[in-house]
Amino acid sequence: MSTATLSPQFPLAPYKSLANEELAARIDDVRREFGRKLLILGHHYQQDEVIAHTDLGGDSYQLSQMAAAQTECRYIVFCGVHFMAETADILANRPEKLAERHGERVTVILPDMAAGCSMADMAAIDQVEAAWADLGEVIDTDDITPVTYINSAASLKAFCGRNGGIVCTSSNAKAVLEWSFKRTKRVFFFPDQHLGRNTALQLGITNEQMPVFNPFGGDLGGNSEAAIENSKVILWNGHCSVHQMFQKAHVEQFRAQYPGIKILVHPECPQEVNDLADVSGSTSKIIKTVEASPPGTKWAIGTELHLVNRLKQQHPEQEIHFLSPVVCMCATMYRIDLAHLCWSLENLRAGTPVNVLEVDDDVAKWSLVALERMLEVN
Ligand code: 13P
Ligand code: SF4
């Protein structure tokens, strides 16, 4: 991945001491000036004051669709995390879209480059390639579909594209596994073991058929040859540090204290929590589930704090609790604030865009193969 590094006309530091009202007014000015040429996308985990300045919002699957569908915009400012902006760059600048625009690229900006994803960082391309070679000593890799959760670096998506694999999101993971099993006997699923396990269990695959590959675990990721030979889904030893915090004991406490309460979680939660939930799904499914529920419904929701707090505010007719006594927020999503948004927009307007994200051609080409497969499966 390469990033443009023009010297910004405006340094970041002064923006950090401006009041939110002033930042908001200046952001509005830039948005008015650019009109439809500028698209600000926001993930559901963003803070409310950032969400207020987005044109469109959604879960990872919807945000990918939005980036892929654009015709008029020339700049996408992505209020989310790094892998989301990379995906937007790949989809918005795919060959057919570039041809429509006579070669003109859409500039994709991540307001703070430090907005990464700790789960995505748990699988590096050299580790995945080494694991693939290692597995190939014991089983036929032609009979494995590599599936990467969209929460991963573009290089991993490219690996999947090159090897007959696919990208999934939390909203189409089951359909992606079904797609994969029509093609091969096994799946290698990275980086989130929980989404992989929770989804494969729905297809009747057992925990015994899902060894966990630990990239630091030595040969075969710490598994025996028999475990790999008997596997259906080989899970990468990765997790989300936010969703890992929700525990079975929290579900039990809520059920004991609030009879009739329903548990609603994201499938990045560990199996023992996911198994006890009434509903499990992507951030959009969580929102839709609450929206569709009658007044008086009681919920304990296990996903990122900002989304749960927003749902609480938007649905005072329901009783919404956060499914953990400790604060579980995505610290990297939270890095995107009005100061970074205003700073990146004003530099864009001044012709010195900052934090431009451009995926290398070869990685983009092969990632696109895996992403297009993802967009066809829902
Ligand atoms: P969604 O695709 O469900 O929005 O999830 C993205 C994510 O990062 C959850 O932690
Ligand atoms: Fe990554 Fe977890 Fe944050 Fe989602 S909530 S972006 S998986 S660290």
Side-chain angles (χ1 to χ4, degrees):
M1 187 206 67
S2 59
T3 50
T5 48
L6 285 175
S7 288
Q9 169 134 1
F10 308 113
L12 174 62
Y15 288 82
K16 292 189 172 171
S17 50
L18 295 177
N20 273 357
E21 294 71 38
E22 176 165 2
L23 291 165
R26 286 165 63 167
I27 290 168
D28 285 343
D29 276 351
V30 181
R31 291 180 74 198
R32 255 191 309 275
E33 259 180 63
F34 275 108
R36 294 161 87 95
K37 284 200 153 194
L38 171 67
L39 178 72
I40 305 185
L41 294 177
H43 185 263
H44 293 312
Y45 290 163
Q46 290 293 303
Q47 330 173 34
D48 286 347
E49 57 248 43
V50 171
I51 292 280
H53 294 283
T54 54
D55 296 295
L56 297 170
D59 65 17
S60 304
Y61 187 88
Q62 294 167 325
L63 290 165
S64 305
Q65 282 181 318
M66 289 162 189
Q70 290 315 308
T71 49
E72 286 176 277
C73 87
R74 294 296 177 269
Y75 312 102
I76 294 178
V77 175
F78 211 115
C79 299
V81 289
H82 195 272
F83 72 82
M84 296 178 179
E86 265 187 342
T87 302
D89 176 55
I90 296 163
L91 291 169
N93 290 307
R94 65 195 188 280
E96 75 192 71
K97 285 284 170 187
L98 279 179
E100 276 172 24
R101 295 191 299 266
H102 310 288
E104 196 187 338
R105 286 188 69 83
V106 169
T107 301
V108 177
I109 289 171
L110 181 64
D112 185 345
M113 278 296 182
C117 165
S118 56
M119 175 202 285
D121 293 342
M122 288 179 197
I125 185 60
D126 53 337
Q127 292 176 318
V128 170
E129 281 173 348
W132 190 251
D134 203 8
L135 293 172
E137 300 287 323
V138 178
I139 51 177
D140 179 6
T141 49
D142 285 345
D143 216 3
I144 311 177
T145 300
V147 177
T148 189
Y149 187 23
I150 195 164
N151 298 35
S152 57
S155 52
L156 273 69
K157 296 180 177 86
F159 175 88
C160 291
R162 280 193 199 98
N163 289 286
I166 184 166
V167 179
C168 79
T169 73
S170 58
S171 68
N172 73 348
K174 185 166 174 243
V176 164
L177 286 193
E178 285 165 344
W179 179 95
S180 304
F181 283 119
K182 281 189 195 134
R183 282 156 182 79
T184 57
K185 208 157 81 183
R186 292 187 179 85
V187 162
F188 186 23
F189 192 99
F190 36 84
D192 185 17
Q193 60 170 300
H194 299 303
L195 178 67
R197 183 180 296 112
N198 291 331
T199 311
L201 287 166
Q202 290 176 46
L203 299 183
I205 294 166
T206 63
N207 273 314
E208 292 66 43
Q209 295 169 313
M210 289 191 266
V212 177
F213 192 104
N214 177 358
F216 304 104
D219 287 348
L220 297 176
N223 296 287
S224 65
E225 284 193 21
I228 298 297
E229 278 162 355
N230 295 329
S231 68
K232 291 284 286 171
V233 178
I234 301 162
L235 299 167
W236 192 261
N237 189 27
H239 64 266
C240 165
S241 38
V242 178
H243 291 87
Q244 182 92 342
M245 302 294 281
F246 299 106
Q247 294 167 16
K248 186 179 174 194
H250 302 148
V251 177
E252 289 166 349
Q253 279 158 16
F254 269 106
R255 292 225 196 269
Q257 204 178 338
Y258 301 91
I261 198 162
K262 291 185 176 176
I263 310 295
L264 175 52
V265 301
H266 195 280
E268 288 174 14
C269 289
Q271 184 194 341
E272 59 271 24
V273 172
N274 200 72
D275 279 354
L276 292 177
D278 296 281
V279 186
S280 165
S282 75
T283 52
S284 288
K285 181 164 174 186
I286 289 172
I287 294 167
K288 280 189 203 136
T289 303
V290 173
E291 280 171 358
S293 299
T297 310
K298 289 185 206 151
W299 293 110
I301 305 183
T303 196
E304 206 272 345
L305 185 64
H306 288 91
L307 173 55
V308 180
N309 282 343
R310 186 171 317 120
L311 285 169
K312 247 190 228 184
Q313 269 174 19
Q314 290 174 343
H315 296 278
E317 81 288 359
Q318 298 183 42
E319 188 179 323
I320 296 177
H321 301 267
F322 186 59
L323 179 66
S324 170
V326 292
V327 171
C328 311
M329 65 164 224
C330 180
T332 48
M333 286 271 182
Y334 190 65
R335 294 192 73 95
I336 309 293
D337 55 13
L338 291 192
H340 282 87
L341 182 56
C342 187
W343 170 67
S344 54
L345 287 173
E346 291 192 343
N347 274 299
L348 178 63
R349 181 173 59 186
T352 55
V354 288
N355 293 356
V356 176
L357 209 144
E358 203 176 311
V359 177
D360 294 345
D361 286 350
D362 193 57
V363 171
K365 174 179 142 189
W366 287 107
S367 298
L368 180 62
V369 172
L371 282 165
E372 284 184 329
R373 288 178 185 143
M374 171 192 90
L375 289 170
E376 279 163 23
V377 177
N378 51 43

